[in-house]
Structure formats: structure tokens, C-alpha cells
PDB file of all heavy atoms in Angstrom:
ATOM      1  N   PHE A 290     117.858 173.477  -7.838  1.00 97.00           N
ATOM      2  CA  PHE A 290     116.959 174.467  -7.243  1.00 97.00           C
ATOM      3  C   PHE A 290     115.517 174.224  -7.668  1.00 97.00           C
ATOM      4  O   PHE A 290     114.609 174.147  -6.824  1.00 97.00           O
ATOM      5  CB  PHE A 290     117.409 175.874  -7.661  1.00 97.00           C
ATOM      6  CG  PHE A 290     116.431 176.953  -7.298  1.00 97.00           C
ATOM      7  CD1 PHE A 290     116.344 177.430  -5.995  1.00 97.00           C
ATOM      8  CD2 PHE A 290     115.566 177.492  -8.257  1.00 97.00           C
ATOM      9  CE1 PHE A 290     115.438 178.420  -5.658  1.00 97.00           C
ATOM     10  CE2 PHE A 290     114.664 178.480  -7.930  1.00 97.00           C
ATOM     11  CZ  PHE A 290     114.588 178.947  -6.621  1.00 97.00           C
ATOM     12  N   TRP A 291     115.293 174.095  -8.978  1.00 97.00           N
ATOM     13  CA  TRP A 291     113.919 173.928  -9.461  1.00 97.00           C
ATOM     14  C   TRP A 291     113.351 172.559  -9.069  1.00 97.00           C
ATOM     15  O   TRP A 291     112.143 172.417  -8.873  1.00 97.00           O
ATOM     16  CB  TRP A 291     113.843 174.130 -10.969  1.00 97.00           C
ATOM     17  CG  TRP A 291     114.037 175.562 -11.370  1.00 97.00           C
ATOM     18  CD1 TRP A 291     115.103 176.106 -11.994  1.00 97.00           C
ATOM     19  CD2 TRP A 291     113.128 176.635 -11.130  1.00 97.00           C
ATOM     20  NE1 TRP A 291     114.935 177.456 -12.172  1.00 97.00           N
ATOM     21  CE2 TRP A 291     113.708 177.807 -11.647  1.00 97.00           C
ATOM     22  CE3 TRP A 291     111.869 176.730 -10.530  1.00 97.00           C
ATOM     23  CZ2 TRP A 291     113.100 179.048 -11.579  1.00 97.00           C
ATOM     24  CZ3 TRP A 291     111.252 177.971 -10.459  1.00 97.00           C
ATOM     25  CH2 TRP A 291     111.869 179.107 -10.981  1.00 97.00           C
ATOM     26  N   GLY A 292     114.215 171.551  -8.938  1.00 95.00           N
ATOM     27  CA  GLY A 292     113.743 170.240  -8.478  1.00 95.00           C
ATOM     28  C   GLY A 292     113.223 170.313  -7.052  1.00 95.00           C
ATOM     29  O   GLY A 292     112.215 169.683  -6.709  1.00 95.00           O
ATOM     30  N   ILE A 293     113.906 171.091  -6.198  1.00 95.00           N
ATOM     31  CA  ILE A 293     113.433 171.270  -4.816  1.00 95.00           C
ATOM     32  C   ILE A 293     112.147 172.073  -4.796  1.00 95.00           C
ATOM     33  O   ILE A 293     111.205 171.761  -4.041  1.00 95.00           O
ATOM     34  CB  ILE A 293     114.520 171.969  -3.979  1.00 95.00           C
ATOM     35  CG1 ILE A 293     115.746 171.060  -3.850  1.00 95.00           C
ATOM     36  CG2 ILE A 293     113.989 172.352  -2.605  1.00 95.00           C
ATOM     37  CD1 ILE A 293     116.936 171.720  -3.184  1.00 95.00           C
ATOM     38  N   MET A 294     112.071 173.104  -5.645  1.00 96.00           N
ATOM     39  CA  MET A 294     110.859 173.920  -5.697  1.00 96.00           C
ATOM     40  C   MET A 294     109.650 173.109  -6.135  1.00 96.00           C
ATOM     41  O   MET A 294     108.541 173.304  -5.636  1.00 96.00           O
ATOM     42  CB  MET A 294     111.061 175.095  -6.648  1.00 96.00           C
ATOM     43  CG  MET A 294     112.173 176.070  -6.235  1.00 96.00           C
ATOM     44  SD  MET A 294     111.867 176.880  -4.653  1.00 96.00           S
ATOM     45  CE  MET A 294     110.550 177.997  -5.117  1.00 96.00           C
ATOM     46  N   PHE A 295     109.880 172.142  -7.067  1.00 94.00           N
ATOM     47  CA  PHE A 295     108.768 171.358  -7.623  1.00 94.00           C
ATOM     48  C   PHE A 295     108.681 169.956  -7.034  1.00 94.00           C
ATOM     49  O   PHE A 295     107.850 169.162  -7.477  1.00 94.00           O
ATOM     50  CB  PHE A 295     108.914 171.240  -9.147  1.00 94.00           C
ATOM     51  CG  PHE A 295     108.807 172.555  -9.866  1.00 94.00           C
ATOM     52  CD1 PHE A 295     109.541 172.781 -11.021  1.00 94.00           C
ATOM     53  CD2 PHE A 295     107.987 173.566  -9.401  1.00 94.00           C
ATOM     54  CE1 PHE A 295     109.445 173.994 -11.706  1.00 94.00           C
ATOM     55  CE2 PHE A 295     107.892 174.776 -10.071  1.00 94.00           C
ATOM     56  CZ  PHE A 295     108.624 174.998 -11.229  1.00 94.00           C
ATOM     57  N   SER A 296     109.534 169.624  -6.078  1.00 91.00           N
ATOM     58  CA  SER A 296     109.530 168.307  -5.427  1.00 91.00           C
ATOM     59  C   SER A 296     109.698 167.172  -6.438  1.00 91.00           C
ATOM     60  O   SER A 296     108.839 166.300  -6.574  1.00 91.00           O
ATOM     61  CB  SER A 296     108.237 168.091  -4.635  1.00 91.00           C
ATOM     62  OG  SER A 296     108.281 166.836  -3.964  1.00 91.00           O
ATOM     63  N   SER A 297     110.837 167.187  -7.143  1.00 92.00           N
ATOM     64  CA  SER A 297     111.151 166.118  -8.089  1.00 92.00           C
ATOM     65  C   SER A 297     112.526 165.572  -7.745  1.00 92.00           C
ATOM     66  O   SER A 297     113.521 166.299  -7.789  1.00 92.00           O
ATOM     67  CB  SER A 297     111.128 166.655  -9.531  1.00 92.00           C
ATOM     68  OG  SER A 297     111.487 165.646 -10.445  1.00 92.00           O
ATOM     69  N   TYR A 298     112.576 164.260  -7.396  1.00 91.00           N
ATOM     70  CA  TYR A 298     113.823 163.607  -7.029  1.00 91.00           C
ATOM     71  C   TYR A 298     113.900 162.285  -7.782  1.00 91.00           C
ATOM     72  O   TYR A 298     113.269 161.300  -7.379  1.00 91.00           O
ATOM     73  CB  TYR A 298     113.892 163.366  -5.516  1.00 91.00           C
ATOM     74  CG  TYR A 298     113.763 164.636  -4.703  1.00 91.00           C
ATOM     75  CD1 TYR A 298     112.508 165.137  -4.350  1.00 91.00           C
ATOM     76  CD2 TYR A 298     114.892 165.344  -4.293  1.00 91.00           C
ATOM     77  CE1 TYR A 298     112.383 166.316  -3.622  1.00 91.00           C
ATOM     78  CE2 TYR A 298     114.781 166.516  -3.560  1.00 91.00           C
ATOM     79  CZ  TYR A 298     113.524 166.996  -3.235  1.00 91.00           C
ATOM     80  OH  TYR A 298     113.402 168.169  -2.512  1.00 91.00           O
ATOM     81  N   PHE A 299     114.642 162.290  -8.889  1.00 91.00           N
ATOM     82  CA  PHE A 299     114.619 161.150  -9.822  1.00 91.00           C
ATOM     83  C   PHE A 299     113.176 160.834 -10.202  1.00 91.00           C
ATOM     84  O   PHE A 299     112.718 159.691 -10.123  1.00 91.00           O
ATOM     85  CB  PHE A 299     115.278 159.913  -9.218  1.00 91.00           C
ATOM     86  CG  PHE A 299     116.780 160.008  -9.122  1.00 91.00           C
ATOM     87  CD1 PHE A 299     117.434 159.645  -7.952  1.00 91.00           C
ATOM     88  CD2 PHE A 299     117.548 160.449 -10.186  1.00 91.00           C
ATOM     89  CE1 PHE A 299     118.814 159.734  -7.840  1.00 91.00           C
ATOM     90  CE2 PHE A 299     118.929 160.537 -10.082  1.00 91.00           C
ATOM     91  CZ  PHE A 299     119.564 160.186  -8.912  1.00 91.00           C
ATOM     92  N   GLY A 300     112.436 161.839 -10.610  1.00 86.00           N
ATOM     93  CA  GLY A 300     111.014 161.682 -10.913  1.00 86.00           C
ATOM     94  C   GLY A 300     110.244 161.458  -9.630  1.00 86.00           C
ATOM     95  O   GLY A 300     110.381 162.203  -8.659  1.00 86.00           O
ATOM     96  N   ASN A 301     109.455 160.388  -9.592  1.00 80.00           N
ATOM     97  CA  ASN A 301     108.734 160.044  -8.361  1.00 80.00           C
ATOM     98  C   ASN A 301     109.333 158.797  -7.722  1.00 80.00           C
ATOM     99  O   ASN A 301     108.636 157.993  -7.101  1.00 80.00           O
ATOM    100  CB  ASN A 301     107.242 159.826  -8.664  1.00 80.00           C
ATOM    101  CG  ASN A 301     107.030 158.654  -9.624  1.00 80.00           C
ATOM    102  OD1 ASN A 301     107.956 158.243 -10.312  1.00 80.00           O
ATOM    103  ND2 ASN A 301     105.812 158.138  -9.671  1.00 80.00           N
ATOM    104  N   ALA A 302     110.667 158.635  -7.881  1.00 79.00           N
ATOM    105  CA  ALA A 302     111.339 157.429  -7.365  1.00 79.00           C
ATOM    106  C   ALA A 302     111.175 157.286  -5.852  1.00 79.00           C
ATOM    107  O   ALA A 302     111.026 156.171  -5.339  1.00 79.00           O
ATOM    108  CB  ALA A 302     112.821 157.473  -7.737  1.00 79.00           C
ATOM    109  N   VAL A 303     111.210 158.396  -5.126  1.00 75.00           N
ATOM    110  CA  VAL A 303     111.093 158.324  -3.657  1.00 75.00           C
ATOM    111  C   VAL A 303     109.744 157.735  -3.269  1.00 75.00           C
ATOM    112  O   VAL A 303     109.657 156.836  -2.400  1.00 75.00           O
ATOM    113  CB  VAL A 303     111.280 159.728  -3.041  1.00 75.00           C
ATOM    114  CG1 VAL A 303     111.036 159.678  -1.526  1.00 75.00           C
ATOM    115  CG2 VAL A 303     112.679 160.258  -3.337  1.00 75.00           C
ATOM    116  N   ASP A 304     108.663 158.205  -3.890  1.00 76.00           N
ATOM    117  CA  ASP A 304     107.326 157.682  -3.567  1.00 76.00           C
ATOM    118  C   ASP A 304     107.203 156.205  -3.916  1.00 76.00           C
ATOM    119  O   ASP A 304     106.662 155.404  -3.128  1.00 76.00           O
ATOM    120  CB  ASP A 304     106.261 158.475  -4.330  1.00 76.00           C
ATOM    121  CG  ASP A 304     106.214 159.930  -3.896  1.00 76.00           C
ATOM    122  OD1 ASP A 304     106.785 160.234  -2.823  1.00 76.00           O
ATOM    123  OD2 ASP A 304     105.638 160.760  -4.622  1.00 76.00           O
ATOM    124  N   VAL A 305     107.716 155.823  -5.111  1.00 77.00           N
ATOM    125  CA  VAL A 305     107.583 154.442  -5.569  1.00 77.00           C
ATOM    126  C   VAL A 305     108.372 153.499  -4.669  1.00 77.00           C
ATOM    127  O   VAL A 305     107.874 152.444  -4.255  1.00 77.00           O
ATOM    128  CB  VAL A 305     108.048 154.316  -7.038  1.00 77.00           C
ATOM    129  CG1 VAL A 305     108.093 152.846  -7.461  1.00 77.00           C
ATOM    130  CG2 VAL A 305     107.128 155.103  -7.949  1.00 77.00           C
ATOM    131  N   ILE A 306     109.629 153.856  -4.373  1.00 76.00           N
ATOM    132  CA  ILE A 306     110.475 152.990  -3.535  1.00 76.00           C
ATOM    133  C   ILE A 306     109.872 152.840  -2.136  1.00 76.00           C
ATOM    134  O   ILE A 306     109.833 151.738  -1.569  1.00 76.00           O
ATOM    135  CB  ILE A 306     111.900 153.561  -3.451  1.00 76.00           C
ATOM    136  CG1 ILE A 306     112.580 153.460  -4.815  1.00 76.00           C
ATOM    137  CG2 ILE A 306     112.733 152.828  -2.399  1.00 76.00           C
ATOM    138  CD1 ILE A 306     113.919 154.156  -4.895  1.00 76.00           C
ATOM    139  N   ALA A 307     109.364 153.930  -1.596  1.00 72.00           N
ATOM    140  CA  ALA A 307     108.782 153.865  -0.250  1.00 72.00           C
ATOM    141  C   ALA A 307     107.556 152.969  -0.214  1.00 72.00           C
ATOM    142  O   ALA A 307     107.372 152.175   0.725  1.00 72.00           O
ATOM    143  CB  ALA A 307     108.429 155.275   0.218  1.00 72.00           C
ATOM    144  N   SER A 308     106.691 153.069  -1.221  1.00 72.00           N
ATOM    145  CA  SER A 308     105.452 152.279  -1.220  1.00 72.00           C
ATOM    146  C   SER A 308     105.690 150.824  -1.578  1.00 72.00           C
ATOM    147  O   SER A 308     105.064 149.921  -0.999  1.00 72.00           O
ATOM    148  CB  SER A 308     104.451 152.898  -2.207  1.00 72.00           C
ATOM    149  OG  SER A 308     104.978 152.890  -3.521  1.00 72.00           O
ATOM    150  N   VAL A 309     106.607 150.539  -2.536  1.00 75.00           N
ATOM    151  CA  VAL A 309     106.825 149.165  -2.999  1.00 75.00           C
ATOM    152  C   VAL A 309     107.671 148.367  -2.011  1.00 75.00           C
ATOM    153  O   VAL A 309     107.357 147.217  -1.691  1.00 75.00           O
ATOM    154  CB  VAL A 309     107.485 149.173  -4.395  1.00 75.00           C
ATOM    155  CG1 VAL A 309     107.907 147.760  -4.805  1.00 75.00           C
ATOM    156  CG2 VAL A 309     106.536 149.762  -5.427  1.00 75.00           C
ATOM    157  N   PHE A 310     108.739 148.951  -1.524  1.00 76.00           N
ATOM    158  CA  PHE A 310     109.689 148.191  -0.702  1.00 76.00           C
ATOM    159  C   PHE A 310     109.447 148.341   0.804  1.00 76.00           C
ATOM    160  O   PHE A 310     109.841 147.478   1.584  1.00 76.00           O
ATOM    161  CB  PHE A 310     111.122 148.615  -1.020  1.00 76.00           C
ATOM    162  CG  PHE A 310     111.557 148.259  -2.412  1.00 76.00           C
ATOM    163  CD1 PHE A 310     111.507 149.187  -3.436  1.00 76.00           C
ATOM    164  CD2 PHE A 310     111.980 146.966  -2.717  1.00 76.00           C
ATOM    165  CE1 PHE A 310     111.901 148.861  -4.717  1.00 76.00           C
ATOM    166  CE2 PHE A 310     112.362 146.637  -4.000  1.00 76.00           C
ATOM    167  CZ  PHE A 310     112.328 147.585  -5.014  1.00 76.00           C
ATOM    168  N   PHE A 311     108.824 149.457   1.206  1.00 74.00           N
ATOM    169  CA  PHE A 311     108.653 149.677   2.640  1.00 74.00           C
ATOM    170  C   PHE A 311     107.185 149.802   3.051  1.00 74.00           C
ATOM    171  O   PHE A 311     106.886 149.934   4.231  1.00 74.00           O
ATOM    172  CB  PHE A 311     109.417 150.932   3.086  1.00 74.00           C
ATOM    173  CG  PHE A 311     110.889 150.860   2.789  1.00 74.00           C
ATOM    174  CD1 PHE A 311     111.406 151.516   1.686  1.00 74.00           C
ATOM    175  CD2 PHE A 311     111.745 150.116   3.588  1.00 74.00           C
ATOM    176  CE1 PHE A 311     112.760 151.449   1.395  1.00 74.00           C
ATOM    177  CE2 PHE A 311     113.101 150.057   3.311  1.00 74.00           C
ATOM    178  CZ  PHE A 311     113.616 150.712   2.202  1.00 74.00           C
ATOM    179  N   GLY A 312     106.281 149.778   2.064  1.00 72.00           N
ATOM    180  CA  GLY A 312     104.860 149.816   2.376  1.00 72.00           C
ATOM    181  C   GLY A 312     104.419 151.073   3.086  1.00 72.00           C
ATOM    182  O   GLY A 312     103.500 151.026   3.912  1.00 72.00           O
ATOM    183  N   THR A 313     105.053 152.187   2.793  1.00 76.00           N
ATOM    184  CA  THR A 313     104.705 153.443   3.450  1.00 76.00           C
ATOM    185  C   THR A 313     104.741 154.573   2.423  1.00 76.00           C
ATOM    186  O   THR A 313     105.065 154.365   1.262  1.00 76.00           O
ATOM    187  CB  THR A 313     105.687 153.750   4.598  1.00 76.00           C
ATOM    188  OG1 THR A 313     105.253 154.924   5.279  1.00 76.00           O
ATOM    189  CG2 THR A 313     107.101 153.955   4.075  1.00 76.00           C
TER     190      THR A 313
END
């Protein structure tokens, strides 16, 4: 619940994976 409220999904793994592997 608190992870959704604060936008934390394995830390900032979603942002890093998207920018490094998909360039977006």
C-alpha cells in the first residue's frame, strides 16, 4: 500500500531499466 502511495517499485528499478535498456 505505502509503496503505491509513494511510487516505489524495487526502488527506482522501473526508471533505470526503462532508460538503460529501452531508452525511454
Side-chain angles (χ1 to χ4, degrees):
F290 170 78
W291 289 109
I293 294 173
M294 298 298 288
F295 296 147
S296 183
S297 177
Y298 302 86
F299 287 134
N301 62 341
V303 175
D304 296 344
V305 172
I306 292 172
S308 61
V309 172
F310 294 97
F311 302 101
T313 185

